Amino acid sequence: MLGLDARAARYTWTAIVVVLLLYGAYLLQKTIFVFILSLLLAYLLHPLVSVLDRMLPGSRTRTPALTLAYVLVIAALGFVGFQLGSRVLEQAHTLAGQFPAMLQKWELPAAPAAPAAGLRAEVMARVQEQLREIVHTVVASLPRAGMVVLAMAGDLVYVVVIPVLAFFFLKDAASLKQHFLDFIQDDTRRALIGGLIADINLLLVHYIRGLALLSVATFVAYSICFFILGVPYTILLCVMAATLELIPMIGPLTAAVVIAIVAGVSGINVWPILIFMGVYRLFQDYVLLPHVMGSGVQLHPLLVLFGVFAGTEVAGIPGAFLSVPVLALLRIIYRRFALRSRAPGALAGVPRPV
């Protein structure tokens, strides 16, 4: 009667609800990030819990296996964290103290030169000055970054809440999924949502375990190479490179630049290091990454870059860290609903692999 189409009104209402949900998620981004970290921790611990659950005889629940897994992981993290953390902070303080003296090697002579040489010297002096300021800022911030990490670890709220939430995710994942599906009355929609949950589960399994393996592989490979080449501050640089692997594309590039600069001002030949990092990057991107991540996380590099920058703008470092799984999740949802719209009922009850 008023010229309103029921279908258009329904789409408009759906769009309004989606926008409100996104705005609510933005307001609660810190809480949501805590739950996401808990979920990722649960996926990381799940293989260990499953092995311990099969080893423990006569256990009707997963609680004993979960408890033992937590004890083992906390003990391992405490030992490794103490061994690496103390050496990282020590090397960071040493590098920050010695860095000004290292930069003196890059000073240009003050003798007068020809006009062309003088112009070149002036340009090089400006480039070196900017480079000194950038690198000095990065290196000087390393000890403070270590103290910030320790201060964050001292926040007992998140240190306690994240493992507790992961414990419940591991313990009650199957029942939570079933309770959620019980709310859906329509069989077709229940099959669709069930398949979507299976796809998301497979995506997160590949992503979080693959990310952990890539970080460990980066630390081991860089440690061996830097030890052979005699690169100073090996532990500090390797821990930094392994940590920055958590941020797609931008993180490894940043690590490579910092490593090359630190090695250069330390008097080490940079070319073997650059060649190694280039070869390792090719090996990781074309051999290791597809093997450990699976096909569900494969995204175009331009889309990954967009996601990293957009995630950083919206939520900082957490946004950059979550950009790839969020994009892969949107890809899975699009595939599910697009295929369903083309062939209704084709996906019912049959989860497609990601």
Side-chain angles (χ1 to χ4, degrees):
M1 181 175 64
L2 298 178
L4 295 177
D5 182 67
R7 187 176 181 181
R10 185 167 62 252
Y11 287 159
T12 303
W13 171 248
T14 302
I16 293 174
V17 171
V18 170
V19 170
L20 291 177
L21 288 176
L22 292 176
Y23 181 68
Y26 177 76
L27 295 178
L28 299 174
Q29 56 181 300
K30 190 173 184 179
T31 301
I32 294 174
F33 185 64
V34 170
F35 273 80
I36 292 175
L37 286 181
S38 304
L39 182 61
L40 296 181
L41 178 61
Y43 275 100
L44 192 61
L45 295 178
H46 182 266
L48 177 60
V49 174
S50 299
V51 170
L52 294 175
D53 190 37
R54 290 193 297 267
M55 292 175 58
L56 294 177
S59 177
R60 296 183 179 181
T61 65
R62 305 187 73 183
T63 303
L66 282 169
T67 304
L68 182 57
Y70 267 65
V71 171
L72 294 176
V73 169
I74 291 174
L77 288 179
F79 176 77
V80 175
F82 177 78
Q83 295 294 326
L84 287 181
S86 59
R87 298 187 64 179
V88 166
L89 291 178
E90 178 184 354
Q91 292 187 5
H93 281 290
T94 303
L95 179 58
Q98 296 179 352
F99 198 75
M102 295 177 182
L103 287 178
Q104 295 299 324
K105 300 178 181 179
W106 287 14
E107 294 290 343
L108 292 174
L119 179 61
R120 176 179 176 274
E122 183 179 354
V123 172
M124 291 299 298
R126 290 183 178 274
V127 171
Q128 290 173 1
E129 181 64 26
Q130 293 294 325
L131 186 60
R132 280 196 296 269
E133 293 180 2
I134 294 172
V135 178
H136 181 71
T137 301
V138 172
V139 174
S141 65
L142 289 175
R144 293 196 300 271
M147 300 308 295
V148 169
V149 171
L150 293 178
M152 292 175 60
D155 193 346
L156 294 180
V157 174
Y158 300 110
V159 172
V160 173
V161 167
I162 290 177
V164 169
L165 291 175
F167 183 92
F168 284 111
F169 278 130
L170 286 167
K171 180 175 178 294
D172 301 322
S175 60
L176 289 174
K177 174 185 175 182
Q178 189 58 45
H179 288 321
F180 176 75
L181 293 177
D182 288 341
F183 283 104
I184 305 174
Q185 301 298 324
D186 184 77
D187 292 338
T188 303
R189 291 184 178 179
R190 187 186 299 112
L192 175 65
I193 299 300
L196 184 60
I197 292 175
D199 286 348
I200 296 173
N201 175 70
L202 191 59
L203 164 68
L204 293 177
V205 165
H206 284 302
Y207 180 72
I208 188 59
R209 298 176 192 172
L211 206 61
L213 290 175
L214 290 178
S215 294
V216 172
T218 298
F219 179 81
V220 173
Y222 278 43
S223 298
I224 295 173
C225 175
F226 292 174
F227 177 78
I228 295 174
L229 296 178
V231 179
Y233 315 107
T234 296
I235 299 297
L236 172 64
L237 297 178
C238 292
V239 169
M240 179 199 66
T243 304
L244 288 177
E245 283 291 331
L246 302 178
I247 301 177
M249 300 186 72
I250 303 299
L253 178 60
T254 304
V257 171
V258 174
I259 289 171
I261 292 174
V262 172
V265 299
S266 301
I268 303 297
N269 188 1
V270 179
W271 287 109
I273 300 175
L274 293 177
I275 293 174
F276 160 75
M277 290 190 294
V279 171
Y280 176 77
R281 184 56 45 190
L282 292 175
F283 169 76
Q284 188 189 82
D285 291 344
Y286 293 99
V287 178
L288 192 58
L289 184 64
H291 180 72
V292 300
M293 286 289 189
S295 60
V297 197
Q298 289 182 357
L299 298 169
H300 194 277
L302 290 177
L303 189 59
V304 173
L305 282 174
F306 172 80
V308 171
F309 286 119
T312 304
E313 288 291 331
V314 173
I317 297 299
F321 170 68
L322 296 175
S323 59
V324 170
V326 169
L327 290 174
L329 175 63
L330 294 177
R331 171 175 171 264
I332 288 174
I333 295 174
Y334 170 77
R335 286 182 57 205
R336 276 279 171 179
F337 284 92
L339 291 176
R340 178 176 179 268
S341 63
R342 294 171 188 171
L347 297 177
V350 183
R352 294 176 57 89
V354 260

